[in-house]
Amino acid sequence: MIPQFLQERRYQFAVLAFIVAILLPVIVGSNQYYRTVLILMLIFIIYASAWNFLTFSGQGSLGHAAFFGLGGYFSSLIAINSGIPLIIAVFAGACVTAGIGVLIGMTCVRLREWFLAMVTFGFAVIIQTLIVISQLSPITGGWDGFAVPKLIPSSIPGSPNLEYYGILAIAVGSILVFHLLLKSKIGLALAAIRENEMEAKASGINPVPFKLFAFGISSFITAIAGALEVCHFGYISPEIFGTDISFWPIIYSITGGLGTLAGPIIGTIVISLLWEGLNALGFTYERFIVIGILLILTIIFLPKGLVSLPERLQYLKRIKTGDEK
Amino acid sequence: MKHWVPYSLVMSIVIIGALLFSGCTEQPASESAESIKIGVVASMSGPASTTGKDIWQSAELAAQEINAQGGVFVKDLNKKIPITLVQGDDESTREGGIKAVSKLITQDNVDLLVGGYSSAVVSAHQSIVADNKVPYIISGGSSTSVSHRDDIDTSYMFFHRPNTDDSAKASILFIDEMVRPEIYKKFNLPDDRPLRLALIFQDSPFGKGQQGAVRNLTQDLNLPIEIVAEETFKMGESDFRTALTSVKAKKPDIIYAVTFLNELIPLTQQARRDVGLDTLILSIENNDDPDYYSGVGALGDYTLMESRFSPYAIPKGSTSERTKKFLEDFQTKYGGFAGMMGAATYESVYIAAKAIENAGTVQKDAVRKALSEISMDHMIEVMKDQVIRFSPDYQESSFDLYVEQMKMDPAVGEIRPHIVWPESIRETGFVIPDWYQPGSP
């Protein structure tokens, strides 16, 4: 009676990971530190997956913090000023951000590689500056930022677990959306554009709407991640547009496996756990060195990321046994 | 079955990682009262790590001194209890801060927190402190947006630092009372000419708080000061030449630099050496650190710094002996000098000990009440009325701030600070260097 899709090992692994994710709050109990780590990990899984989705269309971004931050600002401002439930405001803010994402996409859809990356980086700088200019500071709080309502008020019984499961549901939902999109004709078109845009055009695929679609979806999900982060902190300030916020999803995705659905998830989990584990062992500065070495080793020996490690080990095993030449 | 092998491997990595970060960090609760656990929130990594090290080491020194006396007397237990410090690295980021504070409160079960530096980082983890109601003596987070919040319960937070309004006021009053008359006299400038002030500030609540305070003060006090340039830079930046070139084009009489320590050193060097700005640079107190004196070199000659604690310029009076001892002990233990943030944290540990002693318990609500009522002699930083106490409105302490001018000491080959303002404690007069050029007429 096992469903057909569970015959595939990747789905078996996904189900196993999901079960572990559901059980984690039970394992960590009431420890707020563990829960904070888990929640931030889930938020960055959503964020890294959204950044990674853009790469399926052959595009890259060095300024995704702009969408992350805008999602935080729009959602908070909508929630505070309209009085609508926060979770609806999160999605409303993400819709506005996605609209901006498409507009940005329209300006740079014909750019490639570093040119596109630099435009997105510049966009993040512009957005941060706009947020703090004095004319907008009565609304945005300028450099001081402002307080944001919590996703689940602490007065509600079981709020920490509710928050975790709510964010887990959004994370799973986001990954499912990416999975379904990539399995659809849209995914095939994106792959064709990524592999060879000229050939894709010759085959009758117009790359522009597909690239814009990828930009829109990526900025939408990134904005949700940003909104969830500020709701968890209960505060937003322009630091959310920081350069490090733009670079973490890139590092997570490359380490885990660029252009795969599981890559950003595995990359985020492994680096986050390594980061916290080393901290627990008393390493502070050294963490940067370890993460740097991990990134370098991954790029050199596992260019497809940690997700390809089992495949790589099997390949090496076949060479050793003489099955592979 | 063989399909599961590679995935089991990946899963194992995850589980090992989980064990690594869970199993190694569990701390026993301090319910047994074998020690008083104080969490030290410091940026041990990231752009503010230089200051973080200073904060941690100074806290260690204070705890060691208190423990050498047997610890803190806790009336409820009728005995002295030693202090144990637990480090919380905020990584100089909002995410790092929230994880560090969560860990200190919920896993390490600290009785009280001290430290905190960047306003942006502190504002992100304040809600955890509010939710858990843990007393927190914050020695950084100078922006009023941090201490004047009304959206969360800040009753457990006490701010042992001047806020951005206080420090900006000292700087602006010094410029108006001392710099302006001296420049105008030396260069025969008309009295009705406003002094031309340039601001270079970090793009953070800290920097912006200073910018707002300077603007408001010059307006509110109706001072003849015109802000001719306002340039921002990102936290951790090391190349300021573009901003400085822009400032130079505006021809200011003086630059007010709102920076962290690792930013002020290259900024000062690039201003004088690369951009050729023959003007005065006034910086803000959190940069008063031995690393500034050794790092900036001769290019820091005649620069100015608003301060409240210096390793080399000790105000005469009731704090001087204790300050000298603190500096000597710090040098003996760590082979260097403590900075201002270290001094504030050192005092914070003593304030925490005094509050617990007054409360007679480590119960958090009782300690909070004791902190709100505390009144103890000032220690190594000069306080208003020579007393450490927290204001009833925003629970902020109040300092007597001063301004130093740096002069090259050929004997040590480094610049050294000399207090030039206010009149009551100044060591020497304010000097306009020979190379100085005033701004536009």
Side-chain angles (χ1 to χ4, degrees):
Chain A
M1 280 293 110
I2 297 170
Q4 182 68 30
F5 74 93
L6 276 181
Q7 300 297 320
E8 286 188 49
R9 59 184 176 181
R10 55 182 174 155
Y11 292 122
Q12 292 166 352
F13 178 65
V15 169
L16 180 66
F18 183 59
I19 292 167
V20 171
I22 288 175
L23 292 175
L24 276 172
V26 182
I27 297 166
V28 304
S30 60
N31 190 302
Q32 192 176 2
Y33 164 60
Y34 291 154
R35 218 169 27 234
T36 300
V37 171
L38 291 173
I39 284 174
L40 288 176
M41 210 187 283
L42 283 176
I43 290 170
F44 273 85
I45 282 173
I46 299 170
Y47 180 23
S49 298
W51 180 88
N52 183 54
F53 182 74
L54 198 59
T55 66
F56 281 99
S57 63
Q59 302 177 98
S61 167
L62 283 179
H64 246 45
F67 305 120
F68 192 78
L70 280 178
Y73 271 97
F74 282 133
S75 303
S76 313
L77 290 170
I78 290 170
I80 291 167
N81 295 307
S82 72
I84 62 173
L86 188 59
I87 191 68
I88 297 173
V90 166
F91 284 92
C95 286
V96 180
T97 307
I100 294 173
V102 172
L103 286 175
I104 299 302
M106 286 167 76
T107 63
C108 54
V109 75
R110 294 180 202 288
L111 299 175
R112 290 186 189 194
E113 297 170 351
W114 290 109
F115 299 103
L116 170 62
M118 289 315 295
V119 167
T120 52
F121 182 75
F123 173 65
V125 175
I126 292 167
I127 291 292
Q128 187 183 35
T129 309
L130 286 174
I131 289 289
V132 298
I133 58 172
S134 53
Q135 288 87 343
L136 284 179
S137 62
I139 302 166
T140 63
W143 288 102
D144 288 342
F146 58 89
V148 176
K150 293 270 190 178
L151 195 63
I152 311 285
S154 50
S155 55
I156 295 176
S159 60
N161 282 346
L162 282 176
E163 185 186 18
Y164 172 83
Y165 286 121
I167 295 174
L168 175 64
I170 293 172
V172 172
S174 306
I175 292 159
L176 270 176
V177 167
F178 292 135
H179 173 67
L180 294 173
L181 283 172
L182 292 172
K183 277 193 76 176
S184 69
K185 287 180 179 174
I186 294 172
L188 287 173
L190 292 176
I193 294 164
R194 181 186 60 197
E195 293 305 320
N196 191 321
E197 197 168 327
M198 294 302 287
E199 279 187 19
K201 270 185 185 172
S203 309
I205 299 169
N206 182 359
V208 173
F210 287 102
K211 282 184 165 184
L212 288 180
F213 177 77
F215 231 104
I217 292 290
S218 179
S219 52
F220 177 79
I221 303 288
T222 299
I224 289 175
L228 294 175
E229 198 221 43
V230 298
C231 292
H232 178 67
F233 287 174
Y235 205 88
I236 188 166
S237 62
E239 280 70 24
I240 198 167
F241 297 102
T243 313
D244 57 324
I245 299 292
S246 278
F247 278 90
W248 277 118
I250 304 174
I251 293 167
Y252 291 147
S253 299
I254 291 175
T255 306
L258 206 58
T260 65
L261 267 182
I265 305 169
I266 290 173
T268 308
I269 293 170
V270 169
I271 291 181
S272 301
L273 293 180
L274 199 59
W275 187 258
E276 296 305 317
L278 289 169
N279 186 36
L281 295 172
F283 297 103
T284 47
Y285 286 109
E286 299 85 349
R287 290 186 291 178
F288 291 94
I289 297 168
V290 173
I291 300 296
I293 290 171
L294 177 69
L295 192 62
I296 292 166
L297 290 178
T298 306
I299 289 169
I300 294 172
F301 296 107
L302 287 170
K304 291 180 184 173
L306 290 174
V307 74
S308 66
L309 181 63
E311 190 186 310
R312 180 77 178 163
L313 289 174
Q314 281 185 338
Y315 171 74
L316 291 173
K317 191 178 165 187
R318 285 199 301 273
I319 287 179
K320 198 175 172 184
T321 56
D323 294 344
E324 184 97 26
K325 290 177 185 173
Chain B
M1 193 66 192
K2 69 175 182 180
H3 294 324
W4 281 89
V5 173
Y7 291 104
S8 300
L9 191 70
V10 177
M11 206 59 204
S12 301
I13 294 170
V14 174
I15 291 166
I16 289 166
L19 290 173
L20 184 69
F21 98 84
S22 61
C24 306
T25 57
E26 199 75 51
Q27 298 285 327
S30 66
E31 297 302 323
S32 62
E34 289 303 315
S35 69
I36 293 163
K37 274 193 184 174
I38 297 181
V40 182
V41 185
S43 306
M44 300 306 294
S45 55
S49 56
T50 312
T51 309
K53 188 179 167 195
D54 186 34
I55 288 173
W56 172 248
Q57 291 179 333
S58 299
E60 270 192 329
L61 181 60
Q64 183 188 304
E65 287 174 4
I66 293 167
N67 290 345
Q69 303 293 318
V72 182
F73 181 73
V74 181
K75 193 180 165 193
D76 276 5
L77 302 165
N78 197 30
K79 62 177 179 179
K80 284 191 168 184
I81 306 293
I83 289 173
T84 303
L85 297 180
V86 188
Q87 191 181 90
D89 176 17
D90 70 21
E91 303 167 19
S92 310
T93 66
R94 300 169 342 126
E95 292 82 6
I98 206 161
K99 285 186 290 186
V101 170
S102 296
K103 180 175 174 293
L104 288 170
I105 293 176
T106 63
Q107 190 169 342
D108 300 318
N109 297 303
V110 297
D111 297 303
L112 187 137
L113 293 159
V114 299
Y117 183 50
S118 159
S119 296
V121 176
V122 172
S123 61
H125 64 240
Q126 274 179 298
S127 65
I128 297 176
V129 180
D131 287 348
N132 289 280
K133 297 188 183 306
V134 178
Y136 186 8
I137 303 171
I138 301 172
S139 49
S142 60
S143 172
T144 48
S145 66
V146 175
S147 49
H148 296 195
R149 283 180 78 168
D150 56 8
D151 60 297
I152 54 167
D153 175 13
T154 54
S155 62
Y156 280 74
M157 297 168 215
F158 296 84
F159 298 87
H160 187 51
R161 86 303 181 244
N163 65 32
T164 41
D165 289 349
D166 295 337
S167 49
K169 188 174 183 181
S171 299
I172 290 302
L173 288 179
F174 164 71
I175 289 172
D176 185 55
E177 291 174 14
M178 187 70 76
V179 178
R180 201 168 64 85
E182 290 293 326
I183 292 174
Y184 282 40
K185 191 169 76 180
K186 184 167 180 175
F187 294 95
N188 281 326
L189 298 172
D191 283 344
D192 59 350
R193 171 191 180 274
L195 184 122
R196 299 173 65 81
L197 172 68
L199 291 175
I200 299 184
F201 55 96
Q202 190 188 81
D203 62 350
S204 63
F206 159 63
K208 187 66 182 179
Q210 283 283 330
Q211 183 204 25
V214 169
R215 277 183 183 167
N216 294 339
L217 278 164
T218 48
Q219 205 169 4
D220 295 349
L221 301 176
N222 198 24
L223 298 177
I225 295 173
E226 183 188 355
I227 301 171
V228 295
E230 293 175 271
E231 293 288 332
T232 60
F233 61 86
K234 287 200 171 298
M235 188 196 290
E237 198 162 308
S238 57
D239 189 341
F240 302 90
R241 281 170 284 208
T242 308
L244 289 165
T245 304
S246 172
V247 164
K248 189 181 181 184
K250 306 282 173 53
K251 298 187 175 166
D253 294 322
I254 186 166
I255 295 171
Y256 186 39
V258 184
T259 65
F260 284 171
L261 174 62
N262 52 348
E263 296 153 352
L264 181 63
I265 293 171
L267 184 147
T268 305
Q269 290 170 329
Q270 290 162 18
R272 295 275 303 117
R273 181 191 60 207
D274 303 341
V275 181
L277 264 162
D278 293 331
T279 192
L280 293 164
I281 298 174
L282 170 65
S283 56
I284 186 167
E285 58 184 27
N286 58 311
N287 298 285
D288 203 338
D289 188 286
D291 286 348
Y292 175 69
Y293 306 115
S294 58
V296 75
L299 294 165
D301 210 8
Y302 294 103
T303 53
L304 298 150
M305 192 177 288
E306 178 269 316
S307 186
R308 67 182 209 254
F309 177 84
S310 172
Y312 302 116
I314 300 168
K316 294 183 194 77
S318 52
T319 60
S320 61
E321 287 308 309
R322 191 153 186 184
T323 306
K324 282 175 194 162
K325 184 174 183 316
F326 165 68
L327 291 167
E328 281 167 15
D329 291 347
F330 191 95
Q331 189 169 33
T332 305
K333 190 170 169 64
Y334 299 109
F337 284 104
M340 188 209 67
M341 288 304 299
T345 316
Y346 175 85
E347 290 178 331
S348 297
V349 174
Y350 270 97
I351 295 168
K354 180 73 175 167
I356 290 168
E357 196 173 291
N358 288 353
T361 172
V362 291
Q363 292 295 319
K364 294 179 175 66
D365 54 345
V367 175
R368 185 209 67 76
K369 189 167 181 294
L371 278 166
S372 68
E373 293 168 352
I374 209 156
S375 176
M376 57 189 277
D377 286 348
H378 62 175
M379 299 174 61
I380 56 179
E381 298 181 280
V382 185
M383 308 300 298
K384 285 260 187 266
D385 304 324
Q386 306 193 346
V387 172
I388 294 174
R389 69 163 73 92
F390 297 103
S391 63
D393 49 1
Y394 297 113
Q395 304 193 142
E396 295 173 299
S397 54
S398 198
F399 296 78
D400 260 345
L401 303 169
Y402 52 88
V403 174
E404 306 154 339
Q405 186 165 35
M406 310 298 158
K407 288 188 190 137
M408 179 54 75
D409 183 343
V412 292
E414 288 183 8
I415 55 164
R416 287 290 179 263
H418 302 272
I419 299 172
V420 293
W421 184 90
E423 186 73 33
S424 56
I425 57 166
R426 82 174 189 183
E427 299 169 21
T428 180
F430 162 66
V431 176
I432 300 171
D434 294 338
W435 45 259
Y436 174 81
Q437 292 294 321
S440 284

